[in-house]
Amino acid sequence: QVQLVQSGAEVKKAGASVKISCEAVGYPFTSHHVHWVRQAPGQGLEWVGAISPRNNSTTYARRFQGRVEMTSDPSTSTVFLEVIYLISADTAVYYCARGETGMDVWGQGTTVSVSS
Amino acid sequence: DVVMTQSPLSLSVSLGQSASISCNSSDSLVYPDGNTFLNWFHQRPGHAPRRLIYLSSTRDPGVPDRVSGSGSGSEFTLQIGRVGPEDVGSYFCMQATFWPPTFGQGTIVEIK
């Protein structure tokens, strides 16, 4: 069964960094891009960026450039999202999702809470 | 970035009735190869989004045929027939024709 399995909730102080993971299960790891999408409490969906596990190429939303980094580890079929210099507005559920022209499989979400 | 605008932002529907959600894009979503990369998602409270529709009108596996997507160019519609309790939640459109992918604001559907 195709799944994306995400790491557990994180609680961080403002100014710290966080690194969360997303393991691809049940399909060839390098066959699809993986996106990160976040959702602040009570808000809509916001695209953060994407990585191609085939060649590690990344694209980030303009507002996150310089503050996020996406990486992948083919040995564990896992992609990672690191966010640095956390602020309270980064408090959100972060989802990974598979796909190029549509996100057909989503992880269960990772809650990141940032306190000042 | 392409702006996706949904309406209405909230919808109250009686059980068994139909619901219709509109999504307009600031640019035509027709890709040079002729495909239209418009997706619809449903998100139940406390859950991850689930894709319902891709390529504007193709249902994902397991999506009932009372759910349908239509439209072309920059105007799209999601219709849900015979609304039941399982249909409550938020619905989002998303375009993937242009980079970066962008989402509509979401439409909250509740049972009247």
Side-chain angles (χ1 to χ4, degrees):
Chain A
Q1 182 184 359
V2 175
Q3 295 181 74
L4 294 173
V5 181
Q6 298 186 227
S7 52
E10 301 270 4
V11 179
K12 297 290 182 181
K13 294 275 193 189
S17 62
V18 69
K19 190 170 185 177
I20 60 179
S21 66
C22 169
E23 181 187 2
V25 178
Y27 73 93
F29 180 60
T30 58
S31 64
H32 292 278
H33 281 70
V34 175
H35 300 259
W36 289 94
V37 176
R38 78 178 189 180
Q39 186 171 38
Q43 302 300 307
L45 301 170
E46 179 178 31
W47 185 77
V48 177
I51 183 168
S52 168
R54 180 178 305 153
N55 56 17
N56 268 322
S57 65
T58 55
T59 309
Y60 304 128
R62 266 190 299 272
R63 62 175 292 183
F64 297 111
Q65 284 178 359
R67 218 163 58 84
V68 302
E69 183 178 24
M70 296 175 190
T71 54
S72 70
D73 180 357
S75 69
T76 59
S77 299
T78 302
V79 299
F80 300 91
L81 169 68
E82 183 173 24
V83 185
I84 63 174
Y85 304 128
L86 287 163
I87 59 176
S88 57
D90 291 321
T91 294
V93 178
Y94 289 75
Y95 295 102
C96 57
R98 181 186 86 161
E100 281 67 41
T101 56
M103 301 171 192
D104 65 338
V105 178
W106 291 64
Q108 81 274 23
T110 296
T111 300
V112 175
S113 301
V114 183
S115 63
S116 51
Chain B
D1 297 356
V2 173
V3 177
M4 305 297 288
T5 303
Q6 288 183 229
S7 64
L9 298 184
S10 65
L11 197 50
S12 187
V13 185
S14 299
L15 286 172
Q17 298 301 301
S18 296
S20 181
I21 300 169
S22 294
C23 175
N24 290 345
S25 57
S26 58
D27 289 286
S28 170
L29 298 185
V30 181
Y31 195 70
D33 66 1
N35 284 314
T36 298
F37 298 110
L38 186 282
N39 303 266
W40 287 98
F41 299 89
H42 175 215
Q43 184 180 33
R44 295 191 179 94
H47 288 79
R50 172 200 179 194
R51 195 176 69 178
L52 302 174
I53 300 285
Y54 61 98
L55 294 175
S56 177
S57 61
T58 304
R59 274 186 293 273
D60 271 281
V63 176
D65 58 10
R66 61 186 180 82
V67 176
S68 63
S70 62
S72 61
S74 60
E75 298 183 358
F76 303 91
T77 301
L78 178 72
Q79 297 209 311
I80 309 164
R82 301 185 306 281
V83 167
E86 68 276 18
D87 298 319
V88 301
S90 297
Y91 290 81
F92 297 92
C93 60
M94 184 203 84
Q95 69 80 23
T97 296
F98 297 95
W99 205 259
T102 47
F103 293 91
Q105 317 96 301
T107 296
I108 298 171
V109 172
E110 62 173 23
I111 301 297
K112 196 180 292 183

